[in-house]
Amino acid sequence: MSVRVLVQQAAFDTGAETARLSSLSDHIGGMGLFIGQVRGGDGLLSLTLEHYPGMTETILNQLAQEGMQRFSLLGCTVIHRVGRLKVGEPIVLVGTAAAHRGAALSATSFLIDRLKTGAPFWKKEEFANGHAAWVDAREEDEHAAATWGQMPPSSS
Amino acid sequence: MTGHVNILYFAALREQLGRESQQVPLSANGQSVADLLRVLRQHDAMLDEVFAATPRIRVAVNQKLGGFDTCVQPGDELAFFPPMTGG
């Protein structure tokens, strides 16, 4: 299967994931990779990621399929972690494989931009002083997602 | 009685309401999400307060993002949540 979508608590193995992608086809000429991690600062200790089980996997699969078609990908992987993640820990991996770099890089941007505002995940920040707060959606993230056009109507 | 729907709450909504789900009876046929929510808020001061204080609440019906004008059927799973912040 050329699309791989996982929602998990455990860390992912970036080396193993890129090796898997690169071995999918002899026609692959380039791969795109994005890894999001917990950014520190202002006394942040950790993020806790909540999700909507079931719907999250469905949306990520739809997004991955859309990316496959739109950019003629030969493979794509989306792995998103949930639970409590400390500063510096990886949160999300988006990997794409295509014949040429343009498609791979664009598809990687497309997938992460759309995922941030379109898949049911929510982040809660926890600070060293004991304060905790849910992260507000950022307008720039919504603009980034919108630059790729509207989500197509669901087929079912 | 025309059946029930199951409602899920996520993230800040879940926390402020102190519940992650509830079963709600449908009082009429052809109710939209907005109709149902109006009735719920009339009978639940806490829900009314939390929803009034939370901007841009999203709804999913049967795990599909939808509008508040979506028609609700018995057995449906509704979910309310704040804007998503993944990645």
Side-chain angles (χ1 to χ4, degrees):
Chain A
M1 189 55 193
S2 51
V3 166
R4 176 170 160 87
V5 168
L6 295 170
V7 178
Q8 62 187 38
Q9 254 184 316
F12 42 77
D13 181 339
T14 304
E17 295 302 335
T18 50
R20 186 198 151 275
L21 265 180
S22 83
S23 67
L24 283 173
S25 163
D26 285 345
H27 298 287
I28 292 171
M31 292 188 291
L33 178 67
F34 174 82
I35 294 174
Q37 64 176 31
V38 182
R39 181 179 50 246
D42 299 328
L44 186 80
L45 287 182
S46 69
L47 286 181
T48 298
L49 277 126
E50 178 170 329
H51 77 302
Y52 185 171
M55 181 173 166
T56 309
E57 288 83 349
T58 303
I59 297 243
L60 292 181
N61 269 295
Q62 284 170 354
L63 212 49
Q65 294 294 350
E66 194 186 338
M68 291 289 290
Q69 287 181 15
R70 188 161 170 172
F71 300 96
S72 302
L73 297 180
L74 297 166
C76 110
T77 300
V78 178
I79 305 176
H80 205 299
R81 295 179 71 193
V82 291
R84 189 169 180 269
L85 303 172
K86 290 187 287 233
V87 168
E89 280 198 79
I91 306 170
V92 59
L93 176 150
V94 173
T96 61
H100 301 284
R101 71 183 184 285
L105 291 171
S106 296
T108 305
S109 292
F110 164 82
L111 287 168
I112 189 63
D113 284 349
R114 277 290 194 77
L115 179 160
K116 282 184 91 77
T117 58
F121 292 102
W122 301 274
K123 291 192 188 108
K124 188 176 191 180
E125 294 176 322
E126 195 187 313
F127 296 89
N129 65 6
H131 181 66
W134 292 94
V135 173
D136 281 328
R138 301 191 318 162
E139 251 183 61
E140 60 200 89
D141 287 340
E142 285 170 19
H143 288 152
T147 59
W148 297 102
Q150 289 297 308
M151 288 284 263
S154 300
S155 51
S156 62
Chain B
M1 198 53 62
T2 53
H4 288 71
V5 293
N6 194 34
I7 302 184
L8 309 178
Y9 303 100
F10 288 98
L13 280 184
R14 172 184 56 72
E15 239 176 40
Q16 285 162 23
L17 289 168
R19 60 188 111 136
E20 58 186 38
S21 68
Q22 68 182 120
Q23 282 249 318
V24 170
L26 284 179
S27 53
N29 287 316
Q31 270 187 309
S32 68
V33 173
D35 295 335
L36 180 66
L37 197 55
R38 198 173 306 120
V39 175
L40 285 176
R41 289 176 67 162
Q42 278 165 7
H43 292 89
D44 186 334
M46 189 185 201
L47 189 81
D48 187 47
E49 195 179 311
V50 170
F51 270 61
T54 311
R56 302 196 299 154
I57 291 175
R58 306 280 203 262
V59 62
V61 179
N62 296 325
Q63 305 201 354
K64 218 182 278 177
L65 280 176
F68 282 77
D69 56 349
T70 308
C71 201
V72 182
Q73 306 292 335
D76 278 355
E77 176 177 292
L78 266 62
F80 294 107
F81 43 80
M84 298 165 276
T85 55

